[in-house]
Amino acid sequence: DGGITQSPKYLFRKEGQNVTLSCEQNLNHDAMYWYRQDPGQGLRLIYYSQIVNDFQKGDIAEGYSVSREKKESFPLTVTSAQKNPTAFYLCASRDSQGRNTIYFGEGSWLTVV
Amino acid sequence: EDQVTQSPEALRLQEGESSSLNCSYTVSGLRGLFWYRQDPGKGPEFLFTLYSAGEEKEKERLKATLTKKESFLHITAPKPEDSATYLCAVRETSGSRLTFGEGTQLTVNP
């Protein structure tokens, strides 16, 4: 099955620890994205990558880091510098051919305890 | 800066009671307006893309329309399973990113 896989679904982190969220896609999409969603709110862009070995900051990049070493993978690290990391994190990828639609994974819940 | 405003924030309907959700947008040049459905705890599910004013798309009980300043998502004779948050997003011609509105939470009571 083609799609976007995020893992883990649920993650608990102690304050002061870094944590990495995985995002893998087998859709052969060039562009990938990370969004953050807080309860009852819309999606805010953290980072995006249009091609391997290149990425750009979104609107709320502070306290986060990414890498794009392979076309299929776009991991997000939530660092201890992120003040309020508890949120729902969504990874997405874009079909740059044809319809240019952005498709989402199922999300990862991060809770800081 | 792109802006997307959705209204109402929440909408409660009786089964069979048709209504519309609104998405107003401001972009320097529209490359696409997207509608998504999101169920609680899940990722957004793609519904429609609209590219130019006057365009319409339909899927089952949903119909999306687009003008130069706003888009409507019309829901005809909704069922309880249509209950979800509906998200609108825009992509401008010069960029790769989507800018989202805050969504409309739709509840359809049986």
Side-chain angles (χ1 to χ4, degrees):
Chain A
D1 269 0
I4 302 167
T5 302
Q6 291 188 237
S7 62
K9 179 68 176 179
Y10 300 96
L11 186 60
F12 295 86
R13 188 196 91 177
K14 291 184 178 179
E15 280 194 33
Q17 289 181 338
N18 293 354
V19 63
T20 297
L21 306 180
S22 169
C23 178
E24 303 279 332
Q25 55 97 1
N26 60 4
L27 300 168
N28 200 34
H29 289 174
D30 288 310
M32 296 186 74
Y33 305 79
W34 275 105
Y35 285 88
R36 168 180 172 144
Q37 188 175 34
D38 293 284
Q41 297 190 24
L43 281 64
R44 292 184 291 167
L45 183 64
I46 305 173
Y47 268 98
Y48 64 104
S49 168
Q50 299 192 68
I51 198 168
V52 174
N53 293 322
D54 185 55
F55 49 83
Q56 288 80 40
K57 293 182 178 180
D59 299 320
I60 56 166
E62 185 176 350
Y64 299 97
S65 66
V66 294
S67 63
R68 187 83 188 278
E69 297 176 0
K70 297 188 301 181
K71 187 175 184 178
E72 302 80 18
S73 179
F74 191 40
L76 174 73
T77 297
V78 184
T79 75
S80 57
Q82 168 51 231
K83 299 279 187 262
N84 296 296
T86 296
F88 188 46
Y89 290 89
L90 287 159
C91 178
S93 68
R94 178 169 60 86
D95 170 15
S96 52
Q97 306 297 323
R99 310 187 72 180
N100 261 288
T101 301
I102 291 181
Y103 297 95
F104 285 85
E106 285 298 293
S108 292
W109 288 94
L110 173 64
T111 302
V112 174
V113 296
Chain B
E1 182 181 323
D2 300 349
Q3 289 192 328
V4 181
T5 303
Q6 291 188 245
S7 62
E9 289 184 14
L11 181 62
R12 192 175 290 270
L13 300 173
Q14 289 299 123
E15 185 172 2
E17 180 186 2
S18 301
S19 188
S20 296
L21 313 182
N22 178 263
C23 173
S24 298
Y25 64 92
T26 304
V27 293
S28 55
L30 182 68
R31 190 165 185 175
L33 184 140
F34 301 81
W35 283 98
Y36 291 85
R37 170 193 169 127
Q38 187 177 27
D39 293 303
K42 298 284 185 70
E45 174 190 346
F46 170 72
L47 294 174
F48 304 110
T49 310
L50 301 167
Y51 293 101
S52 57
E55 189 175 359
E56 300 182 351
K57 296 273 180 73
E58 285 190 67
K59 181 180 178 180
E60 297 181 356
R61 294 176 292 282
L62 300 176
K63 179 180 177 180
T65 62
L66 181 66
T67 72
K68 289 187 177 180
K69 294 184 178 181
E70 58 190 352
S71 177
F72 292 93
L73 185 65
H74 306 277
I75 302 175
T76 302
K79 298 182 177 181
E81 53 261 43
D82 295 321
S83 297
T85 295
Y86 290 85
L87 298 169
C88 170
V90 297
R91 184 175 170 213
E92 64 171 351
T93 51
S94 61
S96 175
R97 49 190 290 170
L98 285 187
T99 300
F100 281 84
E102 297 202 350
T104 294
Q105 186 176 354
L106 174 66
T107 304
V108 182
N109 295 316

